[in-house]
Amino acid sequence: MTSLPEKLADISRTAGVRSAYGDPVQVDGVTLIPVALVYYGFGGGEGDSAATGTGSGGGGGGASLPIGAYVKSGTTVRFEPNVISLLSVGIPFLWVAGKAISRIIRALKR
């Protein structure tokens, strides 16, 4: 059985450019390279409690959000965003930014 650090090292080795950029796909003479926002997180802990005994734990996870694709046609390359993914990220960001700005304005009025 492999240890936790060895498993994390294997996952980290594969979490790189290949995770964010997919393999090129040819469609009708046009090359598409998918692009994603990829992030991972890991954590662990260990404790000793006199009342309940000893404890330990750990966990991890990751997510991938497709944000668009590079499209190569002839000699030109352009980025085509995935509008739905960008909106799913942008709308909550704008809401949080709006709340923060409203609180700053409210604090400055006092």
Side-chain angles (χ1 to χ4, degrees), residues 52-79:
T52 60
T54 61
S56 64
S64 177
L65 180 69
I67 59 172
Y70 283 106
V71 179
K72 181 182 179 201
S73 178
T75 60
T76 61
V77 177
R78 68 184 188 283
F79 180 75

Side-chain angles (χ1 to χ4, degrees), residues 10-75:
D10 288 340
I11 292 170
S12 298
R13 222 175 279 128
T14 60
V17 174
R18 298 299 270 160
S19 298
Y21 298 98
D23 294 327
V25 178
Q26 294 280 339
V27 178
D28 294 332
V30 176
T31 304
L32 303 171
I33 302 173
V35 180
L37 174 66
V38 180
Y39 52 93
Y40 298 92
F42 301 99
E46 186 172 342
D48 186 14
S49 174
T52 60
T54 61
S56 64
S64 177
L65 180 69
I67 59 172
Y70 283 106
V71 179
K72 181 182 179 201
S73 178
T75 60

Side-chain angles (χ1 to χ4, degrees), residues 78-90:
R78 68 184 188 283
F79 180 75
E80 292 287 331
N82 181 348
V83 178
I84 294 173
S85 292
L86 294 176
L87 285 175
S88 69
V89 171

